[in-house]
């Protein structure tokens, strides 16, 4: 299989290109030896350009692949393997996402709490510490804006990833359903 192929699942409109590329690359990195679901999926993509019904596409791809020893059981088990790869990618993504939340939000919130405590102390000594109070209030505003920006970016990344993951997972589930229905 062509390792540069990133279009195994076609043009899934509205998905994040970066997430789609990352998930597809993970599938390709974990490609099992021999003809399995990924190669079958590539065959489906090629046959889809022939304007055939879904049943014909699946049956044609399977008929060709069965000549080289592909069985329905191996096809489904290898599809499950790739679903597990996607789940591992999701777990890794969730860990990285949590690290980003911790780095950009939790730690900044902790800094804000500390800055507010300092500000209360500085206000008690207002004549001597007015300059420091103004500096800290500006830092709070800046960090709050950074949190807001970071939160929006992280949530957007999460939504894009989960939308892409769900779409690819749904495609695999649909393929498994068609395999079970047509083969």
């Amino acid at each position: 299989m062509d390792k540069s192929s990133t279009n195994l699942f076609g043009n899934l409109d509205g998905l994040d290109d970066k997430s789609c590329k990352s998930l597809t690359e993970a599938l390709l990195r974990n490609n099992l030896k021999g003809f399995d679901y990924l190669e079958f999926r590539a065959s489906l993509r090629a046959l889809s350009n022939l304007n055939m019904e879904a049943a014909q596409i699946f049956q044609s791809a399977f008929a060709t692949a069965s000549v080289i020893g592909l069985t329905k059981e191996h096809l489904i088990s290898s599809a499950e393997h790739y679903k597990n790869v996607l789940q591992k990618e999701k777990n890794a993504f969730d860990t990285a996402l949590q690290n980003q939340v911790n780095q950009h939000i939790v730690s900044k919130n902790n800094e804000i709490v500390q800055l507010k405590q300092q500000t209360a102390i500085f206000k008690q000594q207002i004549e001597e510490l007015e300059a420091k109070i103004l500096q800290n209030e500006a830092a709070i505003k800046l960090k709050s804006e950074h949190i807001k920006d970071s939160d929006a970016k992280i949530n957007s990344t999460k939504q894009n990833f989960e939308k892409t993951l769900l779409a690819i997972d749904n495609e695999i589930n649909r393929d498994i359903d068609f395999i079970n229905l047509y083969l």
Side-chain angles (χ1 to χ4, degrees), residues 31-42:
N31 190 3
L32 300 171
K33 291 185 179 183
F35 197 97
D36 67 356
Y37 173 75
L38 287 187
E39 288 75 16
F40 183 78
R41 181 68 179 160

Side-chain angles (χ1 to χ4, degrees), residues 136-149:
N136 281 352
E137 287 175 346
I140 289 169
K141 182 179 179 184
L142 182 64
K143 289 181 185 302
S144 293
E145 290 172 1
H146 179 75
I147 287 171
K148 186 177 176 182
D149 292 342

Side-chain angles (χ1 to χ4, degrees), residues 47-115:
L47 289 171
S48 69
N49 295 329
L50 298 179
N51 203 17
M52 297 168 36
E53 295 292 324
Q56 291 175 310
I57 292 171
F58 273 79
Q59 291 167 350
S60 295
F62 186 74
T64 302
S66 65
V67 170
I68 57 173
L70 182 68
T71 64
K72 178 180 173 181
E73 293 75 22
H74 179 66
L75 185 57
I76 291 173
S77 71
S78 64
E80 292 295 337
H81 163 78
Y82 295 112
K83 286 176 59 70
N84 289 335
V85 168
L86 291 176
Q87 184 59 48
K88 287 178 186 175
E89 288 298 308
K90 180 181 181 347
N91 293 345
F93 178 83
D94 288 345
T95 299
L97 184 71
Q98 187 58 51
N99 289 339
Q100 290 296 311
V101 167
N102 290 342
Q103 179 183 356
H104 295 286
I105 296 174
V106 173
S107 67
K108 302 293 188 229
N109 276 331
N110 291 338
E111 290 175 26
I112 288 173
V113 168
Q114 291 173 351
L115 289 170

